[in-house]
Amino acid sequence: MEQYLQYVVNGVQQGAIYAIIAVGYTMVYGVLRMINFAHGEVYMLGAFVAHLCVINGLYGLGSDNPPAWGIAAMVLTCMAACMAIGILIERLAYRPVRNAPRLIALITAIGMSFLLQNLALLWFQASPKYASVESVSRSLSLGGISISLGQLILLVSSLGMMFVLRILVMKTNFGRGMRAVSEDMGAASLMGVNVDKVILGTFAIGAALAGAGGAMTAAFVASPITPYFGFMPGLKAFVSAVLGGIGNIPGAVLGGLLLGVIEAFVAGNPALSPYRDAVAFAVLILVLMVRPAGLLGRATAEKV
Amino acid sequence: MDIKRALVASFAMLAVAGLIGCNSGGSGSGKIGGGSSAESRLAERNKERKRDKAPDPVQDKIVIGVYGDFTGTNSTFGQDTKEGVAIALEEANAAGGVLGLPIEVVEEDTRTDQTQARNAVTKLIQKDKVLAVLGEVASSMSIAGGKVCDQYGVPMITPSSTNPKVTDIGQYIFRVCFLDDFQGTSMARYAVNDLGIKKIAILYDVESDYSVGLKDFFKAELAKLGGEVTHELSFKPADTDYRSQLTTIKNSKAEAIYIPGYYKSVGSIARQARELGISAKLLGGDGWSSSELIPGAGGPGKALEGAYFTDHFSALDPNEDVQNFVKKYEAKFKKKPSALAALAYDAAKVLFQSIESAGSQDRAKLRDAIANIKDFKGVTGTFSINEHGDVLKTITIVQVKGNEFVMVKTLEP
């Protein structure tokens, strides 16, 4: 029993990372109907910014026991940096092809993904870098279940961020604009919504969340950071977004958490362990066969 | 049907991106034979092959090609190799070169990509007109590059590829390191005979030929010695979370975990194991042998303190030749040489000595000279090349203590 609870804890933590990236995919898809494949690379760059903060000792991070505000400041710095990167990507790569056929935008996105990967390779080299914050690697034990302090912070803050996002989308003017654009871009613009601004804002928020995910994975889970760091999580997050119903924010969160937990059980099972990724994709295919719009997605009946 | 069409298009793209991603991840393909016999290996090596003609080597100097992973996922391995060769080169040129000619080295990067490894070797042979080739570290890369070398009849010595298949490619391929079978069995013997541990869990890298090979040999020997593998779980190099595998291992009450992976993953695995409260001993192979190992585990004295792994060499070996090499290396690169640097140094020296005894820049004669190397005194031990193109040599068990890899025992083959 304990063992299974531990799997759930592990899975929810990994799932929270998928969820925070998946939200970015889903928002951009919701608004633009395109998949931003460079999103995983933004996550990777977030981790590298965290690495730069740590090796330069910003916010008292170089020491053995960095202050809590220092860690928070690092995550915010990564979010800000990734926001800037997200805006840049939108302006340089996506806006010019916004009215072109959708396949073009998809190709641009993949090109952007490889460009960012190779820039990181040039800049940071391929040998693994670290941004671990040692003081949060302490383990808490709750009735036989271990969870590290860092994992707990990661979990709570990513869920917190998604809660704030929910409020932003549902209660603010900007959020109303987003929902309007996702409904019908042309009509929204006729109604006085500044479509450019809404799209830029959507990219910025998505990128900031990915940046936070990357920074927290690097700092709290102590993963080695390489230029290929974002590829797999990006792919899994995409699966999560589709699983939950692409375009749907709560769906992306649900999809991420679900995928994380399924993977944890698969990875921990000796017979299934090598098939961790295969099972993730198999689940996706199964769900799409039964519910093509995803778990929380709306099935839209369209006239042909 | 807007959504559906978009999704289908995305998936097609995804599939393409996934394929490219796998390639650059550098995972090897094809399982290695754990049970292939010495005879069948020899037959494979000596099979008649049609060879293409390579351009004649440059005549006014000796040009040697070095190919390695200088910017890919295991780039510290490539860098160490380059540096080991540099020391041997400096020594040889200071002593007047080989055959009275100066030696020059041309380096090519493989970026942990098998296609790139093939291209690199082809370029070295066709464009740089090298006499012979040194490299690679990773077995999958050596197999890719080695096939090109053998096809053109250009001798190749890999300093550190331990997979049996590498020298089976053909008669022009050699190595100066021990093989995976010896490495896997040695660790099993050490665990049972010296540490008195019998219940061991295995966590291996399912994408790496090297890791799968080591795991199989370890398991077979452990069974012979009356030990028990409690669980066998796997991971992939791109994973960052190993907690679920470790949770299963924790509950199996294994006394040790054998992790035959590369240093990048091992650091995280060790940390997460300790965070989960696992106190089992950690055991590994020469994929751990990197200056990046300890930083990845949280620094000296942290998660990997006291772990054991099989290695080719220890910089703390009191042997005079070893210490001479260590001194020169430290003076030039301001750090202690790793086993990979030491192996590269030995491989280069074997090559230089063979060129000298071949007497000319004839590749077929050079091949024979390498095949006839006897009782070569290297810094990684004394060895002779056998009919497989391999060497039989001692293995060193090292323990992680603080920032050092301390030699605890050597085992004979």
Side-chain angles (χ1 to χ4, degrees):
Chain A
M1 188 59 208
E2 252 171 43
Q3 187 173 347
Y4 295 118
L5 274 176
Q6 181 74 54
Y7 289 149
V8 173
V9 170
N10 301 338
V12 168
Q13 178 257 322
Q14 182 67 34
I17 298 174
Y18 293 156
I20 205 170
I21 316 174
V23 165
Y25 273 114
T26 244
M27 284 200 314
V28 168
Y29 184 86
V31 171
L32 268 182
R33 295 274 179 273
M34 77 162 274
I35 305 289
N36 175 16
F37 274 113
H39 197 56
E41 272 55 54
V42 175
Y43 164 84
M44 174 266 292
L45 290 173
F48 272 119
V49 177
H51 165 72
L52 289 179
C53 287
V54 169
I55 58 165
N56 291 317
L58 295 184
Y59 319 119
L61 283 170
S63 64
D64 281 339
N65 211 353
W69 66 265
I71 300 174
M74 175 195 70
V75 175
L76 289 175
T77 307
C78 296
M79 288 175 78
C82 286
M83 201 178 241
I85 294 165
I87 290 175
L88 216 62
I89 295 176
E90 201 275 332
R91 290 304 298 264
L92 293 179
Y94 300 151
R95 189 174 296 183
V97 296
R98 193 184 292 161
N99 295 319
R102 203 158 293 148
L103 199 61
I104 305 284
L106 214 55
I107 293 167
T108 322
I110 289 175
M112 200 66 207
S113 154
F114 284 122
L115 177 70
L116 292 177
Q117 239 176 47
N118 283 291
L119 281 180
L121 186 62
L122 255 176
W123 211 329
F124 296 101
Q125 309 287 307
S127 64
K129 305 283 184 297
Y130 299 92
S132 48
V133 175
E134 288 308 316
S135 54
V136 297
S137 70
R138 202 152 35 89
S139 270
L140 312 170
S141 193
L142 308 157
I145 316 286
S146 316
I147 181 163
S148 79
L149 194 57
Q151 273 182 297
L152 204 64
I153 301 176
L154 193 157
L155 191 61
V156 172
S157 43
S158 24
L159 293 179
M161 277 178 210
M162 287 180 273
F163 181 68
V164 172
L165 180 71
R166 175 91 183 146
I167 293 176
L168 185 87
V169 173
M170 299 317 281
K171 306 272 188 227
T172 65
N173 245 337
F174 174 76
R176 221 161 285 141
M178 248 175 91
R179 282 181 288 147
V181 173
S182 89
E183 205 66 44
D184 188 328
M185 198 186 290
S189 117
L190 288 177
M191 287 309 177
V193 176
N194 186 338
V195 173
D196 277 349
K197 230 186 217 166
V198 166
I199 291 176
L200 205 61
T202 309
F203 267 92
I205 295 169
L209 286 176
M216 291 195 292
T217 311
F220 303 155
V221 193
S223 301
I225 313 162
T226 66
Y228 315 109
F229 182 69
F231 182 75
M232 245 320 160
L235 210 57
K236 298 280 179 64
F238 175 65
V239 170
S240 312
V242 176
L243 195 63
I246 193 143
N248 182 313
I249 293 175
V253 177
L254 178 71
L257 294 177
L258 201 64
L259 192 66
V261 173
I262 292 172
E263 276 194 8
F265 276 86
V266 172
N269 182 318
L272 293 177
S273 175
Y275 307 107
R276 180 187 188 144
D277 298 339
V279 170
F281 292 107
V283 166
L284 176 71
I285 293 170
L286 277 180
V287 170
L288 288 183
M289 278 164 74
V290 183
R291 276 187 71 91
L295 293 174
L296 299 189
R298 262 181 304 164
T300 43
E302 280 176 61
K303 280 187 201 137
V304 249
Chain B
M1 291 288 96
D2 212 16
I3 292 184
K4 234 181 198 170
R5 206 184 306 145
L7 282 182
V8 167
S10 319
F11 265 108
M13 282 296 161
L14 204 65
V16 173
L19 284 177
I20 298 167
C22 284
N23 231 343
S24 62
S27 52
S29 55
K31 294 262 185 281
I32 65 141
S36 68
S37 69
E39 295 83 57
S40 68
R41 286 195 53 208
L42 210 55
E44 183 66 31
R45 179 174 171 82
N46 293 330
K47 209 157 56 181
E48 245 345 284
R49 284 183 178 82
K50 204 178 137 286
R51 291 210 160 75
D52 296 333
K53 197 178 152 15
D56 285 332
V58 179
Q59 291 299 321
D60 54 347
K61 55 190 174 191
I62 309 274
V63 184
I64 304 295
V66 176
Y67 73 114
D69 179 358
F70 303 138
T71 58
T73 40
N74 295 314
S75 57
T76 69
F77 289 163
Q79 296 295 344
D80 289 353
T81 303
K82 201 153 79 169
E83 291 167 2
V85 172
I87 301 281
L89 182 75
E90 229 174 59
E91 275 179 11
N93 277 336
V98 180
L99 304 173
L101 298 169
I103 312 169
E104 197 183 285
V105 163
V106 186
E107 287 155 356
E108 276 298 318
D109 188 6
T110 61
R111 303 190 308 237
T112 337
D113 181 344
Q114 293 173 36
T115 313
Q116 184 61 23
R118 274 190 291 277
N119 294 344
V121 173
T122 310
K123 185 232 161 204
L124 286 171
I125 294 170
Q126 296 284 7
K127 181 161 175 288
D128 301 313
K129 303 188 171 55
V130 297
L131 171 63
V133 171
L134 294 171
E136 229 258 16
V137 175
S139 295
S140 341
M141 301 297 136
S142 283
I143 291 171
K147 283 185 179 151
V148 179
C149 283
D150 191 67
Q151 181 196 344
Y152 283 109
V154 175
M156 170 181 131
I157 306 178
T158 166
S160 40
S161 287
T162 46
N163 189 311
K165 259 192 177 170
V166 174
T167 48
D168 295 348
I169 290 171
Q171 294 175 338
Y172 278 82
I173 314 298
F174 302 90
R175 82 175 108 215
V176 296
C177 54
F178 52 65
L179 274 68
D180 284 342
D181 51 354
F182 181 43
Q183 190 169 196
T185 48
S186 293
M187 189 40 98
R189 281 180 204 153
Y190 185 73
V192 175
N193 298 338
D194 295 66
L195 299 175
I197 291 175
K198 289 204 155 169
K199 289 178 73 174
I200 304 177
I202 298 177
L203 186 54
Y204 70 100
D205 175 350
V206 68
E207 280 192 4
S208 142
D209 290 355
Y210 160 79
S211 191
V212 174
L214 241 57
K215 173 207 75 159
D216 289 341
F217 295 118
F218 179 86
K219 227 168 81 177
E221 186 69 14
L222 191 65
K224 248 188 244 167
L225 296 170
E228 178 204 347
V229 173
T230 55
H231 278 305
E232 185 184 316
L233 294 127
S234 72
F235 62 90
K236 289 187 175 175
D239 289 352
T240 54
D241 184 75
Y242 311 91
R243 284 190 174 80
S244 294
Q245 290 95 320
L246 290 166
T247 302
T248 310
I249 289 173
K250 184 184 178 186
N251 282 330
S252 74
K253 305 264 187 304
E255 302 160 273
I257 312 175
Y258 185 52
I259 315 168
Y262 289 120
Y263 61 90
K264 186 187 135 224
S265 311
V266 171
S268 301
I269 292 175
R271 281 172 103 120
Q272 294 179 8
R274 299 307 181 220
E275 279 179 18
L276 284 169
I278 297 174
S279 56
K281 284 203 165 57
L282 304 179
L283 314 172
D286 64 336
W288 289 28
S289 186
S290 163
S291 52
E292 292 287 329
L293 178 74
I294 294 170
K302 292 283 172 56
L304 273 173
E305 184 70 8
Y308 296 92
F309 64 94
T310 43
D311 209 347
H312 306 265
F313 155 93
S314 163
L316 301 174
D317 187 337
N319 181 309
E320 197 186 329
D321 290 343
V322 173
Q323 285 311 316
N324 273 336
F325 167 67
V326 172
K327 238 179 266 160
K328 274 185 207 159
Y329 187 93
E330 273 188 313
K332 195 169 164 83
F333 298 111
K334 313 279 174 267
K335 60 179 181 188
K336 281 218 160 63
S338 70
L340 296 157
L343 285 168
Y345 174 79
D346 277 358
K349 288 191 72 164
V350 164
L351 182 60
F352 298 158
Q353 185 183 318
S354 307
I355 299 171
E356 196 73 68
S357 56
S360 75
Q361 292 211 49
D362 182 295
R363 293 198 181 103
K365 277 194 191 140
L366 174 58
R367 192 216 80 87
D368 295 339
I370 301 173
N372 286 324
I373 287 279
K374 286 271 171 305
D375 303 317
F376 181 89
K377 272 194 170 28
V379 294
T380 60
T382 301
F383 54 82
S384 306
I385 303 270
N386 66 14
E387 73 272 26
H388 291 277
D390 298 333
V391 296
L392 289 178
K393 65 202 290 192
T394 54
I395 208 163
T396 309
I397 305 271
V398 298
Q399 187 177 25
V400 181
K401 276 195 180 153
N403 226 348
E404 307 268 15
F405 298 155
V406 180
M407 186 164 137
V408 290
K409 193 173 188 178
T410 55
L411 296 171
E412 299 289 334

